[in-house]
Amino acid sequence: MSGPLVVVNFKTYQTAHGASAEELAVTMAGIESGAKLVAAVSAFDLESVVTAAPDLEVWCQHLDPVGFGSNTGWLHPSTAIERGASGTLINHAEHKVDLEHVAMLIEQLPDGFSICACAEDMEEAGALAALGPTFVAVEPPELIGGNISVTEADPIVVSETADAVKSVSENVSVLCGAGVKTGKDVSEAIRLGVSGVLLASGVTKSENPIEALRDLVSEI
Ligand code: G3P
């Protein structure tokens, strides 16, 4: 991997949907850093974000393990790939699925497509790691959207998840998230043994997203 990963989940924040999603993606693409920035966007915004920021890596927030056919309302991986997605989150705390859903998705997606399976705790992280995603991101749900970074509120869950996942598979990288907002939070995450962070409100609710992004990557 090319440097720490900083994944910004646009969720359905008003500041990160439609034209604002394109703007934020262009801003992200302009940030110079040793980190790799990734935007996880709404399926509706996928194509326009990819078009607006062609050099930025863009992920979906969720996909379903379905093929072409009778699957009303489901998010079809092949269509996402055709529209420019190069990865996806799955099992986010705000969009839980069962392990079988994750396993089938991993089986269906081609090599090189990043799959970041989200976990609430170390146990879930271990179970997801056994399925062989690209990343497991540990995010204690009670800290999501808050002002205290997981790296400060619960450093143990970060370091123990990094160790637990490593003991299941050396091929799965670990991210952490929830409350991550500053460069100090990111450097602390790396110090605790993970490969990057997954965050949202630190950027999407910031009055100055450029400054927030610059700060996030400032200690890398
Ligand atoms: O997916 C990232 C997320 O759940 C963390 O959100 O707002 O705490 O950075 P936030």
Side-chain angles (χ1 to χ4, degrees):
M1 205 171 71
S2 58
L5 207 64
V6 175
V7 183
V8 181
N9 182 358
F10 287 22
K11 301 196 177 185
T12 59
Y13 279 108
Q14 191 169 8
T15 52
H17 87 123
S20 305
E22 294 164 33
E23 238 170 80
L24 181 54
V26 170
T27 301
M28 288 176 66
I31 299 291
E32 282 177 29
S33 135
K36 183 175 187 184
L37 270 69
V38 177
V41 306
S42 153
F44 292 117
D45 294 325
L46 175 61
E47 189 177 11
S48 65
V49 164
V50 168
T51 304
D55 295 332
L56 183 69
E57 183 156 340
V58 182
W59 290 2
C60 304
Q61 297 175 8
H62 173 88
L63 285 175
D64 296 302
V66 296
F68 291 110
S70 311
N71 302 293
T72 305
W74 293 70
L75 295 179
H76 183 198
S78 298
T79 310
I81 292 169
E82 198 178 300
R83 298 299 171 191
S86 57
T88 191
L89 303 178
I90 192 67
N91 196 46
H92 191 278
E94 294 153 7
H95 197 156
K96 298 293 283 180
V97 295
D98 55 33
L99 278 181
E100 202 192 343
H101 184 120
V102 181
M104 285 167 67
L105 193 61
I106 290 171
E107 201 173 310
Q108 187 175 335
L109 283 162
D111 286 349
F113 189 91
S114 299
I115 302 165
C116 177
C118 302
E120 297 190 0
D121 52 32
M122 194 179 72
E123 286 70 32
E124 192 180 19
L128 288 163
L131 303 176
T134 324
F135 303 96
V136 168
V138 64
E139 298 195 310
E142 67 281 8
L143 298 174
I144 291 177
N147 284 323
I148 303 175
S149 169
V150 63
T151 53
E152 188 185 331
D154 195 352
I156 300 289
V157 79
V158 178
S159 55
E160 289 192 346
T161 299
D163 290 344
V165 168
K166 207 168 291 163
S167 73
V168 173
S169 169
E170 290 280 348
N171 299 325
V172 180
S173 299
V174 181
L175 308 179
C176 70
V180 171
K181 287 185 169 56
T182 67
K184 186 172 153 269
D185 299 338
V186 176
S187 65
E188 186 60 9
I190 306 302
R191 197 189 66 76
L192 290 167
V194 298
S195 305
V197 296
L198 173 60
L199 73 132
S201 54
V203 170
T204 59
K205 290 173 85 172
S206 168
E207 282 177 12
N208 190 337
I210 301 185
E211 279 313 308
L213 286 161
R214 284 192 185 134
D215 183 27
L216 279 162
V217 301
S218 62
E219 298 190 25
I220 291 170

